[in-house]
Amino acid sequence: MHKHWQYYGMDYIYSYDLLHCAAVANPVRHRKIIMKLPILQVASSLLGCTVMSTYAAPEKPNVIVLYYDDMGYGDMGANAVSPHESLTPNLDKFATESMRFTAGHSADGVCTPSRYALITGRYCWRTSLKWGVTGGYSKPLMEKDRFTIGQMFREQGYNTAMIGKWHVGMQFLSPDGKAVDLGNQEDVLAKNLIDFSKPLTCTPADHGFDYYFGTPASLDMPPYLWLENHQCLVKGAVIQDDGSVDFTQAKPARNADLKEGHCPGGGRKGAYDPNFAPKDYLQIQAAKVQQYLAEHAGSDKPFFIYIPMPAPHTPWSLQAKFKGKAGFKYGDYVIQTDYYSGKIFDALEDPNGDGDKADSVKGNTVGFVSSDNGPETMAQSISLKNKHDANGPFAVVKRDNGEGGTRVPFLIRWPNVVKAGSVSDHACWQGDFLATMADYFDYDLGETKAPDTESFLPVLHGKPMPEKRRAGFIEHSSGGQFAIVDASGEWKLLDGTGGGGNARTWNADDRLSLKRGKKGGTPKQLFNLKMDPGERKNLLKKPNAEAQAKAKELMDALSTIRSND
């Protein structure tokens, strides 16, 4: 029996921002360039307009990007018609104020390549990382001169910050100052391989972010400690008896301050600060965002904050008040994740944390919410046993490049621009947010800065996309398998005979029946996502002429994109 979900939206008609009345298509970059008219010209042109805007967008709004780790499409209650009570009330409320995309994707089925692509607007398979992820001590993946979204906002006069999980590699140093590349090695202290007192290089602070506070990689990867800008810290954040977070006790780490083994509540063995508690990460992250807003919300410069959470990725490290809330541990952790998301949303309304919302920046802040890939296999398994379906109406989960691996929560909240509570089935991927904001700024990305992105600013205004567009976008698997979705979001081709990631995974009807196939093997897989979003019927098993022609068209487009390095 098929599951019933909300995965396609309705068309809405919006009033259009007067500052963006005229538009032309750019045939070179296939982006929509908004022509900002002088005030007098706008005023005079209004006399002839039949549809008038009732608002004007702030010229340079604040922007936050809240990025989850392993949150599936169905984990967000706003996406689901599910027998299980929603685990995400704060996220659901945010969705009522946003445009909810039902066909928004990550770039990959695992986190490092998705994060690299989100930040750069460039697919990660164009780098040296062709499959899998980096480790906590891995060398930098991002090239020193690589353009980033942080750099773009900085050039636009923004204060820029990143608070949370990086996982794109950074440079740790040995005691004699040499660069190391040690993955997730568990005995770096015992073998004296890293000097934690030495400043790191190639952190977010070197890639467009004025300020960085966070961790190198996933919460199941060492080292388990906080970093600020280029420095490893001990006591980077301390939870006080009254529940508040104290950042004043932080000091530069020394090897003697750290322990090695299992960090309580963590994952792999490795070096850790005895004061670091994974269960408190989300609370500390939200408190740091609040602190940053208190310091910068009143500035004459707008802010851009990238907030990558390490949740609901394993370990599901719970604070006491969330245990048992959902009746199953993964659900409890999703609730904890949503709770601290709510604290971040609340901080926009009350940056100083004093209960006075007169200093609110919510009405002048764009919010983009998404996830790096679909749910983990263990999360899907335990969820299905508890009447919760983390991958939604789709097949497969994290690692695979079926829809359940890369189609994820995707929300854009933009007061006075986006119609609150609207739904769009526009097919896109997360790097397109970079191009959308560049489009809004009239910022020229040229041919190389973010080569794989396309602005969806027209969609936010309730307008159709221009006729001249890219051929499609890529969904990549952890094993290196490619898939391409065409510009319409209707057709999808997978270049292989399976999902390209997990050995076994779930089909769209929640049966553990799909197996890993051969990358590049035949018959390839062609699906009509409009008719078959669950990818149940491979149209190339017994192809007709139309299917063969569409497969060739998509394969040619995929080959062109892959060759365009």
Side-chain angles (χ1 to χ4, degrees):
M1 183 176 180
H2 292 181
K3 297 176 286 185
H4 299 284
W5 292 72
Q6 299 172 355
Y7 45 79
Y8 290 117
M10 300 175 62
D11 291 328
Y12 289 85
I13 299 176
Y14 313 112
S15 51
Y16 199 57
D17 186 343
L18 296 182
L19 294 179
H20 302 134
C21 278
V24 295
N26 181 344
V28 178
R29 291 295 299 141
H30 308 307
R31 291 196 175 96
K32 180 171 176 290
I33 300 176
I34 301 301
M35 298 169 61
K36 296 184 178 177
L37 305 179
I39 296 299
L40 291 178
Q41 187 177 348
V42 170
S44 63
S45 67
L46 288 180
L47 297 176
C49 288
T50 57
V51 179
M52 294 188 179
S53 173
T54 57
Y55 54 76
E59 184 179 354
K60 287 188 177 178
N62 306 306
V63 180
I64 67 166
V65 174
L66 182 59
Y67 201 54
Y68 295 109
D69 195 348
D70 290 7
M71 181 176 283
Y73 183 94
D75 282 327
M76 185 174 76
N79 278 338
V81 177
S82 171
H84 201 289
E85 183 178 352
S86 175
L87 305 175
T88 59
N90 291 294
L91 199 50
D92 298 346
K93 181 177 183 296
F94 187 90
T96 67
E97 302 168 343
S98 306
M99 178 177 285
R100 179 170 63 87
F101 287 69
T102 59
H105 294 76
S106 60
D108 203 284
V110 282
C111 53
T112 294
S114 288
R115 290 160 194 274
Y116 174 92
L118 169 73
I119 296 166
T120 65
R122 180 175 183 259
Y123 294 131
C124 189
W125 47 263
R126 298 192 189 280
T127 73
S128 59
L129 187 71
K130 307 301 183 183
W131 57 274
V133 301
T134 60
Y137 301 120
S138 291
K139 66 182 180 180
L141 176 63
M142 194 172 294
E143 306 88 339
K144 288 184 178 180
D145 59 350
R146 177 61 54 198
F147 173 80
T148 69
I149 191 171
Q151 180 182 331
M152 180 183 73
F153 278 103
R154 179 189 281 174
E155 290 177 18
Q156 291 297 306
Y158 279 66
N159 290 313
T160 62
M162 180 196 150
I163 298 171
K165 168 186 166 176
W166 180 235
H167 208 178
V168 190
M170 56 179 64
Q171 192 59 69
F172 286 85
L173 301 176
S174 68
D176 58 358
K178 294 180 180 178
V180 299
D181 181 19
L182 300 173
N184 291 314
Q185 189 159 331
E186 64 182 43
D187 54 359
V188 298
L189 289 178
K191 293 182 177 179
N192 198 29
L193 300 177
I194 292 176
D195 184 348
F196 286 92
S197 71
K198 292 187 182 298
L200 284 72
T201 61
C202 301
T203 76
D206 300 302
H207 290 292
F209 296 97
D210 301 322
Y211 178 73
Y212 164 58
F213 182 88
T215 46
S218 298
L219 262 183
D220 63 348
M221 295 179 176
Y224 304 101
L225 46 71
W226 292 104
L227 287 83
E228 188 169 41
N229 295 325
H230 300 95
Q231 190 67 56
C232 295
L233 303 175
V234 292
K235 292 189 176 180
V238 178
I239 306 292
Q240 302 288 78
D241 291 340
D242 63 0
S244 62
V245 181
D246 180 9
F247 296 100
T248 65
Q249 298 183 45
K251 61 180 182 179
R254 301 172 303 159
N255 287 28
D257 297 320
L258 306 177
K259 293 185 176 181
E260 202 157 61
H262 278 298
C263 175
R268 297 169 175 85
K269 289 182 179 180
Y272 67 93
D273 172 8
N275 305 284
F276 185 91
K279 67 181 177 63
D280 295 327
Y281 189 113
L282 301 178
Q283 179 181 357
I284 290 167
Q285 184 178 33
K288 177 57 74 170
V289 172
Q290 171 89 60
Q291 183 190 69
Y292 185 87
L293 289 174
E295 294 173 356
H296 292 86
S299 169
D300 58 357
K301 296 174 64 176
F303 60 77
F304 166 66
I305 317 177
Y306 171 46
I307 311 167
M309 284 187 163
H313 188 292
T314 55
W316 304 331
S317 193
L318 292 165
Q319 293 182 323
K321 63 183 177 182
F322 297 103
K323 292 180 179 178
K325 287 290 186 180
F328 61 109
K329 194 171 183 180
Y330 176 69
D332 294 344
Y333 197 49
V334 173
I335 289 174
Q336 179 170 309
T337 303
D338 178 74
Y339 177 84
Y340 287 111
S341 301
K343 292 298 183 184
I344 291 170
F345 299 149
D346 290 345
L348 295 173
E349 293 194 83
D350 182 16
N352 291 319
D354 56 7
D356 182 2
K357 295 185 179 181
D359 54 359
S360 172
V361 294
K362 179 179 178 180
N364 186 26
T365 301
V366 177
F368 174 37
V369 174
S370 198
S371 173
D372 62 359
N373 47 251
E376 177 61 86
T377 53
M378 186 166 54
Q380 179 71 354
S381 179
I382 191 174
S383 292
L384 291 175
K385 292 175 183 177
N386 288 274
K387 298 182 179 181
H388 174 70
D389 197 348
N391 74 345
F394 307 114
V396 313
V397 291
K398 175 181 178 178
R399 297 183 189 84
D400 290 309
N401 57 344
E403 291 299 283
T406 67
R407 197 184 299 211
V408 289
F410 202 104
L411 303 171
I412 303 286
R413 182 187 177 278
W414 195 337
N416 296 325
V417 172
V418 168
K419 182 178 174 66
S422 56
V423 182
S424 173
D425 64 359
H426 173 68
C428 56
W429 76 279
Q430 291 158 354
D432 292 342
F433 179 73
L434 188 162
T436 299
M437 294 310 301
D439 192 352
Y440 178 76
F441 293 140
D442 286 346
Y443 181 93
D444 184 11
L445 290 171
E447 294 292 327
T448 60
K449 283 185 175 178
D452 299 309
T453 65
E454 177 183 68
S455 170
F456 53 75
L457 188 63
V459 175
L460 300 183
H461 284 296
K463 300 293 181 178
M465 292 288 285
E467 289 186 10
K468 292 184 177 181
R469 295 185 55 196
R470 65 185 173 198
F473 61 89
I474 303 299
E475 296 178 46
H476 194 245
S477 81
S478 66
Q481 178 172 280
F482 286 84
I484 181 170
V485 177
D486 77 343
S488 72
E490 180 174 4
W491 293 98
K492 176 177 177 178
L493 179 76
L494 289 94
D495 186 15
T497 60
N502 297 294
R504 296 183 65 202
T505 190
W506 290 265
N507 67 13
D509 299 310
D510 297 332
R511 298 188 183 95
L512 195 59
S513 61
L514 302 180
K515 298 180 180 180
R516 183 190 298 129
K518 182 178 180 182
K519 184 173 62 175
T522 58
K524 301 185 190 302
Q525 301 166 79
L526 177 69
F527 299 103
N528 184 313
L529 295 179
K530 295 292 185 183
M531 302 296 294
D532 180 23
E535 297 171 293
R536 293 177 173 89
K537 184 179 180 181
N538 179 9
L539 299 174
L540 295 181
K541 280 193 173 180
K542 295 181 179 179
N544 57 25
E546 180 188 10
Q548 289 176 327
K550 181 58 67 173
K552 182 180 185 306
E553 175 189 328
L554 290 174
M555 196 65 203
D556 288 347
L558 175 59
S559 297
T560 298
I561 293 171
R562 291 185 64 180
S563 66
N564 188 26
D565 262 337

